Amino acid sequence: MTRNNAAPDDAGALPDIVAAVSAGAPAFRACPHPAYAALREQAPVCLLTPPHGVATYLITRYDDARDALSDPRFSKDMRGALDTYHAVYGSFFDALDDNVLFSDPPRHTRLRRSLRGAFSPRRVEEMRPRITEIAEGLLRECARSDEVDLMPSYAFPLPIAVLCELMGIPPGDRPEILQQFAAVTRSRFDPARSAELRAAEEWLQNRLGRLIARTRAHPSDCFLSDLIQAEEGLDDADLVSSLWVIFFAGHKTTAFQIGNSVLHLLTRPEQLEKLRRDPALIPGAIEEIVRFEGSVETSTFRYAIEDVEIRGTRIPEGSLVQIAISSANRDPGKFDSPDVLDVTRVGIQGTHLGFGHGTHYCLGAPLARLELEIALTALLLGFPDMRLVEPHESAAAWLKGPVAAFRGLERLPVVLDPSRPVGSAPETTGTPAMASVTPRT
């Protein structure tokens, strides 16, 4: 594998690229890959000037990114740089953000050890039948409309419902939880929506606290009950912040990944046909799509606890460090034809950085993989003629805003059954042409 020494023709001059990436310019957010390709070649460790004003170094090459994700000189402990953390994320609810994602060992080790039982292979596989029921139920509702936006109707409700099942939250409470997390998603990095963010995070903090109290008083066989009763128990503050990060990180990343996957398959019918002919390819295809267009564009909060030099660039102590996962996963120095989506590509799992690397490797990766497998199998095989409302990606809308934390769609309008006359009811109230979603062997 060799590097292409020429940046894409549409990348522009380096100062313009750096300015666009720093500001999260609309054209960059709509398609960041030409800019990342140029940075990999010309400035693989690049100083950005983001709106929050904290010096930030962006790492774009695969080898550097993988090393940085596990480098102890780049801390994730928000307590060690609270002023910097507040400049980036705000200061409303430190108690929620003080969790396993924003901590270093030994605290991180203790929290992760307590939480990993939720995502053990046994517990995750036991959820397969229920996740399938949830997916099929959502699709039955989607099939009632001529056109449907898959993001609010399928991609987001599915992981929220799964996490609520894991935590023992009754169905009647789930719509408002989804609504409040949607408010956080809209407002987290938008100063103009600070009041909306404050209200949503306060509601969620109180709601999660009540859930913990109720579960402690009435134990069940859900994960939260196991967590409360564990020998190495967490205090209420750690329990609330742990539930918060599981919900916040666990639903957004999976929801956006469902949308990304559907969009890229619908715009590449030859790849989609391979999966429809051989559904056994779907688990491997998920790994390839996470590499090609993962839902986590850049890594979360990290800062240098000492001066660090990478490729001749000095990153001063106290600087923020962003790792461009989307760029690393398309590095031609690591992957052949990285800008090509190939659902038959082999050797991807364990190589791409879509779920991270090192100590902070995604705790919920097993559950995310299962959700994606079931979501795509049910949708693609249940609606074999599904198409975008518009013939190309113009029907979709990529996330906007100055912070390129997530890579995902604001909307994804599709027609599930183009053969059905407009305005007519589905032929059956069951799941139309639904293929069975069975365990892999």
Side-chain angles (χ1 to χ4, degrees):
M1 287 168 278
T2 59
R3 293 190 180 278
N4 176 7
N5 291 325
D9 292 340
D10 56 349
L14 183 60
D16 295 334
I17 295 169
V18 173
V21 175
S22 296
F28 166 70
R29 294 304 312 277
C31 185
H33 302 296
Y36 285 143
L39 291 179
R40 284 194 302 268
E41 295 303 326
Q42 301 177 51
V45 183
C46 176
L47 175 60
L48 303 180
T49 55
H52 54 63
V54 181
T56 301
Y57 286 81
L58 183 70
I59 296 173
T60 52
R61 288 187 181 177
Y62 177 91
D63 289 343
D64 300 334
R66 191 175 188 275
D67 289 345
L69 285 169
S70 58
D71 192 330
R73 296 174 297 176
F74 297 138
S75 173
K76 289 182 63 62
D77 180 14
M78 61 175 279
R79 296 176 176 181
L82 205 54
D83 289 344
T84 300
Y85 186 87
H86 288 164
V88 178
Y89 294 100
S91 56
F92 294 149
F93 288 98
D94 289 349
L96 289 178
D97 287 340
D98 189 10
N99 55 54
V100 67
L101 186 62
F102 299 119
S103 62
D104 290 336
R107 183 168 185 266
H108 172 267
T109 306
R110 177 177 64 87
L111 293 173
R112 188 179 178 97
R113 184 167 54 241
S114 298
L115 297 173
R116 65 188 178 191
F119 308 105
S120 68
R122 177 190 61 81
R123 187 184 287 270
V124 167
E125 189 57 38
E126 287 175 351
M127 296 186 70
R128 180 183 289 272
R130 182 62 186 133
I131 297 174
T132 302
E133 290 178 9
I134 294 169
E136 293 182 346
L138 290 169
L139 288 177
R140 279 193 293 272
E141 290 302 312
C142 290
R144 297 179 185 276
S145 303
D146 297 322
E147 296 179 3
V148 63
D149 184 346
L150 286 181
M151 298 309 294
S153 300
Y154 187 58
F156 274 95
L158 176 60
I160 281 285
V162 171
L163 291 171
C164 286
E165 293 275 336
L166 191 69
M167 301 302 171
I169 298 175
D173 294 348
R174 297 172 189 177
E176 190 167 12
I177 289 176
L178 178 58
Q179 179 183 347
Q180 296 298 331
F181 272 112
V184 173
T185 299
R186 288 193 301 270
S187 56
R188 185 77 195 222
F189 299 109
D190 186 351
R193 293 179 176 266
S194 59
E196 181 182 14
L197 176 63
R198 182 189 293 269
E201 292 195 340
E202 185 175 36
W203 187 94
L204 287 164
Q205 185 179 31
N206 291 335
R207 182 65 185 83
L208 294 176
R210 294 199 307 272
L211 172 65
I212 290 166
R214 187 184 70 188
T215 305
R216 181 177 284 117
H218 304 284
S220 67
D221 61 354
C222 71
F223 163 70
L224 177 55
S225 190
D226 293 346
L227 189 61
I228 291 171
Q229 299 177 64
E231 288 185 14
E232 189 178 352
L234 304 179
D235 61 28
D236 279 10
D238 282 340
L239 285 169
V240 169
S241 65
S242 294
L243 294 189
W244 159 260
V245 74
I246 288 173
F247 271 108
F248 184 71
H251 89 278
K252 287 178 65 172
T253 51
T254 302
F256 287 137
Q257 193 63 60
I258 291 171
N260 294 358
S261 302
V262 173
L263 175 66
H264 284 300
L265 289 172
L266 289 180
T267 53
R268 291 164 178 80
E270 76 288 350
Q271 299 296 312
L272 178 56
E273 184 59 25
K274 291 178 183 179
L275 300 185
R276 284 179 171 150
R277 288 185 177 183
D278 185 3
L281 292 174
I282 289 178
I286 288 168
E287 302 298 328
E288 167 67 351
I289 299 171
V290 170
R291 179 204 68 80
F292 181 79
E293 196 80 271
S295 59
V296 179
E297 185 168 341
T298 58
S299 62
T300 51
F301 183 77
R302 278 177 174 80
Y303 60 96
I305 59 174
E306 60 183 70
D307 291 354
V308 179
E309 184 171 312
I310 301 176
R311 295 194 183 276
T313 298
R314 175 177 167 270
I315 301 176
E317 177 182 352
S319 301
L320 284 182
V321 176
Q322 270 192 313
I323 301 160
I325 305 297
S326 292
S327 175
N329 280 337
R330 292 209 189 187
D331 187 343
K334 181 63 179 180
F335 302 101
D336 289 323
S337 303
D339 293 320
V340 174
L341 177 64
D342 178 4
V343 297
T344 63
R345 192 188 294 261
V346 297
I348 296 300
Q349 184 170 343
T351 303
H352 71 74
L353 302 178
F355 292 112
H357 173 68
T359 303
H360 283 271
Y361 183 82
C362 178
L363 190 65
L367 180 59
R369 286 184 166 108
L370 181 62
E371 290 175 292
L372 290 164
E373 177 191 340
I374 292 172
L376 292 181
T377 301
L379 182 61
L380 300 180
L381 303 188
F383 299 93
D385 298 320
M386 176 179 56
R387 62 170 175 79
L388 295 170
V389 170
E390 299 293 334
H392 301 292
E393 292 188 28
S394 58
W398 292 102
L399 291 172
K400 304 175 183 65
V403 179
F406 295 99
R407 177 73 175 155
L409 298 168
E410 294 178 345
R411 64 176 185 271
L412 182 57
V414 301
V415 177
L416 292 176
D417 185 3
S419 66
R420 197 179 87 200
V422 174
S424 66
E427 293 182 2
T428 175
T429 57
T431 309
M434 186 64 65
S436 174
V437 184
T438 56
R440 289 174 297 186
T441 57

